[in-house]
Amino acid sequence: MAEYQRPAPRPRSVPQPRSVPQPRSGPRPHAVPEPRSAPRPRLLHLAAAVDGAGQYRAPYFVELARLAERGMLGFVTLDDSLGPPGEGRGRLDALAVLSRVAPGTGRIGLVPTVTTTHTEPFHLSCAVATLDWVSRGRAGWRAEVSTTEAEARLVGRRAAAPAEELWEEAGEVADVATRLWDSWEDDAEIRDVATGRFVDRDKLHYVDFESARFSVRGPSIVPRPPQGHPVVVVDATDPVTRRTAARHADVAYVRAATPQAAGAIRDELRRRAVAHGRDEDALTVLAAVAADLSDGEPASELPPPSGPLAARTGGLPLYHGGPVDLAELIARWHQAGAVDGFHITPVVPRRDLERFVNGTVALLQHRGLFRTFYPGATLRDHLGLARPANRYALAREAAR
């Protein structure tokens, strides 16, 4: 096994962007001090897709990821599915591609789509943990399900099932993945050459997860990831997905044409998260939007595209206009409390991502609304999320 250097603990607080003036140590003359209880504004989060139909060369994906990193975006996503190539969805394996992108980038988060329906939870957890290791703590994964009979026939494991059942299973997969990531305590590796001991077996744990769908004993074959738990992302637009998103996701997408519609879904997700015993601030909700930045007259709402464009954008609400107007829209939605940020899918990947970074993001940074530097080295740092404690180490400490 390759030698890994574990990252140092990251600060839990997220620094303010350098473009925002910091308060002085004492009140200015004749200034009225702000009350201590005044709430701090939520940080704006931005992410982008680096999809590319018919692209099979690594430099294409590395170039787009580096461009997004130059704009200090939190993460990039790469879509994937089990659909037949004849349906226009055949593509390279997203996990493998972003593992190749990892050494070509230094800070940006990497989030592939992973289908849970026909994938063993043990294999999924190991693959995502590996991406976290090779990226030095920048991995996430977007949970997706496979609902069609055509996809089921391709794999041959079982027949198609209702979406509600599949999303319940996706939640179980997310649960068992975190257990497997915790099955190695952080200091389980000894690497004592003199005694020939590689691990402390008392710090490896069986997860013993069992449900009606699968059972996993563990422990994992991959040491605990640098982030502890890589970030979980769920598209929570469809109501059938929201229970899983509220319980397991760190980031949720919302496809909505207006800030009112987006805010209603965000509020619902936060209420559900609290009902599951989570801190509502642990769930970041992003508006998912396709962006055509070829200029034109911007619309006040974001209607879903039609025709061939709908297939290219996955039916996402479409923004058509210039980078400046998109910055205004992002600022307006965020400041209204509708969403915590935006996930942008460029209609023309290179052109629109470049205009988004050089135009939209630059303007948001100039106005002090978006960061001008990364607050840390991991994706959890970028999102302001603490590194989770190991459940088995906590249980042992509690038993003492």
Side-chain angles (χ1 to χ4, degrees):
M1 183 176 295
E3 185 75 31
Y4 298 113
Q5 181 178 358
R6 294 192 180 278
R10 304 294 175 189
R12 291 174 181 250
S13 60
V14 181
Q16 293 294 311
R18 288 175 181 162
S19 57
V20 179
Q22 299 299 311
R24 301 181 182 181
S25 57
R28 292 174 296 175
H30 312 297
V32 178
E34 293 184 0
R36 292 178 180 268
S37 59
R40 295 180 63 189
R42 291 178 64 86
L43 296 177
L44 173 64
H45 298 283
L46 298 175
V50 292
D51 305 323
Q55 296 292 336
Y56 303 106
R57 296 176 61 86
Y60 168 87
F61 299 100
V62 173
E63 176 190 352
L64 292 184
R66 285 175 173 171
L67 176 58
E69 186 172 65
R70 195 174 75 206
M72 306 298 162
L73 272 60
F75 59 90
V76 294
T77 62
L78 183 57
D79 200 12
D80 204 348
S81 77
L82 297 178
E87 296 181 9
R89 294 180 294 175
R91 52 179 63 85
L92 299 176
D93 181 272
L95 258 169
V97 171
L98 292 185
S99 293
R100 170 61 182 84
V101 171
T105 54
R107 284 291 184 269
I108 195 153
L110 306 172
V111 180
T113 295
V114 183
T115 302
T116 63
T117 307
H118 302 293
T119 307
E120 292 294 335
F122 187 91
H123 296 158
L124 181 150
S125 71
C126 291
V128 175
T130 299
L131 177 59
D132 205 43
W133 275 113
V134 300
S135 65
R136 297 182 182 272
R138 295 182 283 128
W141 66 288
R142 184 174 81 87
E144 186 55 276
V145 300
S146 176
T147 60
T148 70
E149 195 61 48
E151 292 169 325
R153 285 197 301 268
L154 282 177
V155 180
R157 292 179 66 243
R158 66 184 194 188
E164 184 174 2
E165 177 182 328
L166 296 177
W167 277 106
E168 185 176 344
E169 178 186 56
E172 291 181 350
V173 172
D175 185 8
V176 75
T178 60
R179 294 170 186 264
L180 286 166
W181 294 330
D182 282 349
S183 65
W184 288 56
E185 295 186 31
D186 288 319
D187 56 351
E189 295 178 59
I190 300 174
R191 297 179 179 269
D192 189 336
V193 177
T195 63
R197 298 178 68 202
F198 175 68
V199 297
D200 182 346
R201 295 183 64 87
D202 291 334
K203 295 185 177 181
L204 297 184
H205 303 277
Y206 296 117
V207 302
D208 290 329
F209 183 95
E210 189 165 350
S211 71
R213 299 174 179 87
F214 53 81
S215 61
V216 178
R217 188 183 188 196
S220 177
I221 57 175
V222 180
R224 193 169 193 245
Q227 293 183 103
H229 300 167
V231 170
V232 180
V233 181
V234 174
D235 185 336
T237 303
D238 191 333
V240 76
T241 68
R242 291 177 193 169
R243 179 180 177 183
T244 299
R247 187 166 187 175
H248 300 286
D250 301 297
V251 177
Y253 295 163
V254 172
R255 305 182 185 204
T258 65
Q260 293 78 17
I265 300 175
R266 177 177 179 266
D267 291 344
E268 177 189 346
L269 288 170
R270 288 164 71 91
R271 286 194 302 268
R272 286 175 175 249
V274 171
H276 286 297
R278 302 182 64 193
D279 182 344
E280 64 177 19
D281 290 332
L283 179 59
T284 298
V285 180
L286 305 181
V289 174
D292 178 358
L293 297 179
S294 58
D295 295 319
E297 187 68 26
S300 58
E301 295 187 352
L302 301 174
S306 59
L309 190 57
R312 289 173 57 190
T313 62
L316 289 168
L318 176 64
Y319 171 85
H320 181 200
V324 174
D325 291 310
L326 180 55
E328 295 294 336
L329 183 145
I330 290 173
R332 186 168 65 252
W333 283 40
H334 181 254
Q335 291 171 349
V339 290
D340 302 312
F342 277 70
H343 176 270
I344 301 296
T345 297
V347 172
V348 179
R350 280 194 180 92
R351 181 199 71 189
D352 292 331
L353 183 58
E354 184 172 20
R355 292 185 179 185
F356 179 68
V357 169
N358 294 339
T360 303
V361 174
L363 179 58
L364 292 169
Q365 291 171 328
H366 178 72
R367 294 174 57 183
L369 300 177
F370 189 62
R371 61 171 165 248
T372 57
F373 67 100
Y374 281 111
T378 73
L379 179 51
R380 299 189 76 88
D381 290 337
H382 306 341
L383 295 169
L385 299 173
R387 186 176 189 269
N390 186 295
R391 72 187 67 199
Y392 300 105
L394 286 176
R396 187 178 62 252
E397 290 296 324
R400 288 181 178 177

